[in-house]
Amino acid sequence: MQQARICKGCWEQMHVPVPLRGVISAPFRAFGIRPSRMNPNTCTICELMFTKVMRARKITIDATIMFADLRGYTSLSQSQSPDAVSGLLDAFYDECANAIWEHDGLLNKTIGDAVMAVFNFPLHREEHARNAVLAARQIQTSWRERRATLVEAHGLTADQLGIGIGIHSGELSFGEFGHSHRDLTAIGTVVNTASRAQSVAEADQILVTRAVFERVQPDMKDSQSKAFQLKGFDAPVELYLA
């Protein structure tokens, strides 16, 4: 992934050129301003000074949420050594991060064997739903290539190392939540739906909601759909293969 020399978030939102790399970035690093771990093309101002920059603890935005989960992790953690499990997770996180960042997403959370990404903040992109789908497809493609080496190294089979992905778009709350421990993240039905879609996705599968399906046209015009009874939802939810 090509790394930006100035923070894309600060430039796009405030037109302030905050250097991320090179000699000129040294004075900024002295004040704790450095590339964000959520997206190295943005900086810690975007990540840690949300309240000051946005003048609010939280805002309502239109965004896309993606959850990706490494299937079989629980059973693998019982049969593999701690070093092997750690190596598998590192590989999984690396492939997810590279794809998310390449499509201007924010790797918001790593939750055990899963990751949560936000598209359309702090980098605003009109086609954020499409970016999320492209990132998901890149994750699956890259992982299939890397998986061949991993299964051979650890004596596994390909179906033990699949990734299930769920994506949903819509209005959600994004900001700093909590007081004693502040967490910069997204909450709301959009997040819950993406998470539930991921939970029913099979290994090597990407499932998206109708909201994503409609925004990504014509790229998904031939996608098949199926109604799923997702946990916590009264009515079945239609999900499309991406």
Side-chain angles (χ1 to χ4, degrees):
M1 183 190 70
Q2 186 175 0
Q3 295 184 328
R5 296 189 65 83
I6 65 170
C7 173
K8 287 185 176 181
C10 290
W11 179 252
E12 291 180 9
Q13 294 189 50
M14 301 181 294
H15 300 292
V16 176
V18 176
L20 296 176
R21 296 167 183 87
V23 177
I24 196 172
S25 69
F28 290 83
R29 289 175 182 262
F31 288 95
I33 302 173
R34 61 187 68 242
S36 167
R37 292 183 178 181
M38 295 186 187
N39 185 325
N41 288 327
T42 62
C43 73
T44 47
I45 292 178
C46 301
E47 180 181 331
L48 300 177
M49 297 181 65
F50 181 84
T51 303
K52 183 175 181 180
V53 172
M54 302 303 298
R55 294 184 174 83
R57 288 197 67 236
K58 56 182 178 290
I59 58 174
T60 299
I61 60 172
D62 179 59
T64 298
I65 300 294
M66 179 181 78
F67 278 90
D69 177 85
L70 181 61
R71 298 294 189 248
Y73 171 78
T74 301
S75 59
L76 288 174
S77 63
Q78 297 172 354
S79 61
Q80 299 289 315
S81 69
D83 285 345
V85 172
S86 176
L88 290 171
L89 273 183
D90 285 345
F92 168 67
Y93 289 156
D94 285 348
E95 296 302 339
C96 289
N98 288 335
I100 291 165
W101 295 338
E102 187 168 326
H103 293 90
D104 291 332
L106 195 72
L107 202 170
N108 186 227
K109 289 180 179 296
T110 55
I111 315 162
D113 57 349
V115 301
M116 170 184 164
V118 181
F119 292 82
N120 209 32
F121 193 87
L123 303 178
H124 296 288
R125 298 292 182 266
E126 186 173 332
E127 295 190 336
H128 52 88
R130 183 172 183 271
N131 284 355
V133 170
L134 291 176
R137 288 173 176 172
Q138 182 176 326
I139 289 171
Q140 295 290 23
T141 300
S142 300
W143 185 249
R144 281 192 290 269
E145 295 173 355
R146 191 164 185 174
R147 182 170 58 189
T149 302
L150 293 170
V151 297
E152 183 177 350
H154 299 289
L156 304 170
T157 58
D159 59 0
Q160 290 178 291
L161 284 179
I163 295 176
I165 299 178
I167 306 174
H168 185 35
S169 295
E171 284 198 348
L172 52 83
S173 292
F174 188 93
E176 291 181 340
F177 298 92
H179 294 284
S180 58
H181 172 74
R182 290 187 176 182
D183 189 18
L184 182 64
T185 190
I187 63 171
T189 303
V190 171
V191 179
N192 297 337
T193 305
S195 177
R196 297 306 185 195
Q198 171 269 123
S199 69
V200 297
E202 298 177 3
D204 300 330
Q205 196 174 64
I206 304 167
L207 292 180
V208 307
T209 61
R210 185 170 186 82
V212 175
F213 172 78
E214 292 176 345
R215 295 184 190 213
V216 181
Q217 295 304 324
D219 288 8
M220 291 181 59
K221 62 180 180 179
D222 298 323
S223 296
Q224 298 178 335
S225 67
K226 179 181 176 181
F228 290 84
Q229 188 60 58
L230 303 182
K231 184 178 179 181
F233 289 77
D234 295 331
V237 177
E238 192 173 18
L239 299 176
Y240 296 77
L241 280 171

